[in-house]
Structure formats: structure tokens, C-alpha cells
């Protein structure tokens, strides 16, 4: 840190190589539950993720952000997540 509380950035001499990887796109259209309460009967969302598990997590996060839910709320997507080609 400098004297003003601002972090000092230092760069190493290593170069970073960016790897291109193509991740599948997932979509969801179905109900959204909070515990045993139906919040939405037909909510839609889409995301890009390396796995269906991560896609479900991303979609749950999207729903929470768009509907002003706190991070700790127990939101579940009981429907099927579809991979788009």
C-alpha cells in the first residue's frame, strides 16, 4: 500500500496465455420455488457454463438478482435445464 491507502500494483515478468474454450449455452423455462412456495410458474433464463450443475447455479443467481432476493435465500429450479446447440 502507498501512504494514501491505495494498493500498489506490481506486475511480474510472466506472460499470460488466454485459452479459448467454447462453453455450451443452457436455457431454463419452468417453475421457481423458494422452499415449498411457488414464486414463478414459468420463469425463463439462459446462461453459458461448463456444466449443467454450474448452469443451474448461474440461473438461480440470475433469478435472485432480478427479483431482489438475498444471496442466502433458498431458490430452486425444479424443471429441466436444456443445453442449446
Amino acid at each position: 500500500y502507498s501512504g494514501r491507502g491505495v494498493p500498489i500494483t506490481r506486475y511480474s515478468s510472466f506472460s499470460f496465455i488466454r485459452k479459448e474454450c467454447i462453453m455450451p449455452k443452457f436455457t431454463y423455462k419452468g417453475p421457481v420455488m423458494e422452499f415449498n412456495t411457488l414464486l414463478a410458474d414459468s420463469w425463463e433464463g439462459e446462461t453459458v457454463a461448463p456444466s449443467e450443475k454450474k448452469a443451474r447455479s448461474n440461473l438461480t443467481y440470475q433469478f435472485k438478482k432480478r427479483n431482489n432476493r438475498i444471496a442466502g435465500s433458498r431458490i430452486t429450479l425444479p424443471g429441466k435445464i436444456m443445453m442449446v446447440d
Side-chain angles (χ1 to χ4, degrees):
Y1 284 96
S2 66
R4 297 187 179 127
V6 178
I8 298 172
T9 305
R10 296 197 176 147
Y11 298 97
S12 67
S13 61
F14 295 105
S15 63
F16 295 96
I17 299 171
R18 182 177 173 195
K19 291 185 178 180
E20 295 293 327
C21 82
I22 299 171
M23 290 192 284
K25 185 177 191 179
F26 293 90
T27 62
Y28 179 79
K29 181 175 182 179
V32 179
M33 307 285 288
E34 183 175 36
F35 293 103
N36 289 332
T37 305
L38 180 66
L39 296 178
D41 59 350
S42 185
W43 180 77
E44 294 182 31
E46 64 180 43
T47 187
V48 176
S51 68
E52 184 178 335
K53 182 178 179 180
K54 182 61 178 171
R56 188 172 297 276
S57 173
N58 291 350
L59 291 164
T60 302
Y61 176 79
Q62 282 181 26
F63 181 85
K64 288 178 185 181
K65 291 303 258 182
R66 291 179 186 166
N67 292 279
N68 300 320
R69 300 284 173 176
I70 62 171
S73 59
R74 176 107 166 96
I75 301 296
T76 55
L77 306 173
K80 184 164 176 66
I81 293 179
M82 305 295 292
M83 186 187 302
V84 179
D85 291 331

